[in-house]
């Protein structure tokens, strides 16, 4: 049993050394080795390590505070919360009107309200903006926020 464990460690260490040699010898300026010179097993090991190293912090639930009508007597703050990739993508898909990518802001904002993207204040309907200035400003900021979350750029 101990010999099997030692052998496994030795094989893993040899593969790591082999992968490191490939990286040093065949790495293009992008940092990717010449995949055509790698075995399928080595490719998978390289891809698995690359995938592990490319992970970002979970975007779900990340928040951003926005200021609406900044510097005016109508200024107010809102907190946006990222609803996750699937919901954010669906909100944007539902609000995209045609192949040119035009956005229907009513659909975008209704999707944001329905899915809790505006987490504070708790907006229940688009009628909120019958009593508050800044609907178009908020819509633009919501779209940017969703795009940032989909791109993995929320901190």
């Amino acid at each position: 049993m101990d010999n099997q464990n030692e052998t496994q460690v030795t094989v893993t260490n040899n593969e790591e050394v082999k992968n490191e040699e490939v990286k040093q010898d065949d790495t293009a300026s992008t940092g990717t080795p010449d995949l055509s010179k790698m075995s399928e097993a080595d490719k998978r090991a390289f891809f698995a390590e690359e995938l592990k190293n490319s992970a970002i912090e979970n975007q779900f639930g990340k928040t951003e505070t926005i200021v609406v009508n900044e510097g005016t007597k109508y200024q107010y703050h809102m907190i946006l919360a990222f609803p996750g990739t699937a919901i954010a993508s669906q909100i944007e898909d539902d609000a995209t009107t045609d192949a040119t990518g035009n956005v229907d802001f009513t659909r975008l904002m209704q999707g944001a309200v329905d899915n809790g993207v505006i987490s504070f204040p708790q907006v229940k309907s688009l009628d909120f903006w019958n009593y508050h200035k800044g609907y178009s400003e908020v819509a633009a900021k919501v779209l940017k926020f969703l795009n940032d979350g989909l791109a993995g750029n929320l901190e």
Side-chain angles (χ1 to χ4, degrees), residues 12-28:
T12 302
N13 287 339
N14 285 341
E15 285 180 17
E16 287 173 0
V17 169
K18 182 179 175 184
N19 286 339
E20 189 60 36
E21 288 171 1
V22 170
K23 286 179 190 174
Q24 289 174 358
D25 294 340
D26 298 328
T27 302

Side-chain angles (χ1 to χ4, degrees), residues 63-68 76-81 112 116-124 128-129 138:
T63 62
E64 180 178 302
T65 301
I66 62 170
V67 182
V68 185
Y76 57 97
H77 288 78
M78 298 186 110
I79 300 173
L80 306 179
V117 174
I118 301 170
S119 69
F120 183 86
Q122 197 171 44
V123 176
K124 303 242 185 241
F128 173 88
W129 284 277
V138 173

Side-chain angles (χ1 to χ4, degrees), residues 1-46:
M1 184 88 145
D2 289 336
N3 288 343
Q4 287 179 341
N5 288 339
E6 289 175 20
T7 304
Q8 182 64 33
V9 170
T10 304
V11 169
T12 302
N13 287 339
N14 285 341
E15 285 180 17
E16 287 173 0
V17 169
K18 182 179 175 184
N19 286 339
E20 189 60 36
E21 288 171 1
V22 170
K23 286 179 190 174
Q24 289 174 358
D25 294 340
D26 298 328
T27 302
S29 61
T30 62
T32 303
D34 183 350
L35 299 176
S36 67
K37 295 182 180 179
M38 296 175 76
S39 71
E40 286 302 310
D42 287 343
K43 283 182 194 177
R44 289 178 186 271
F46 175 77

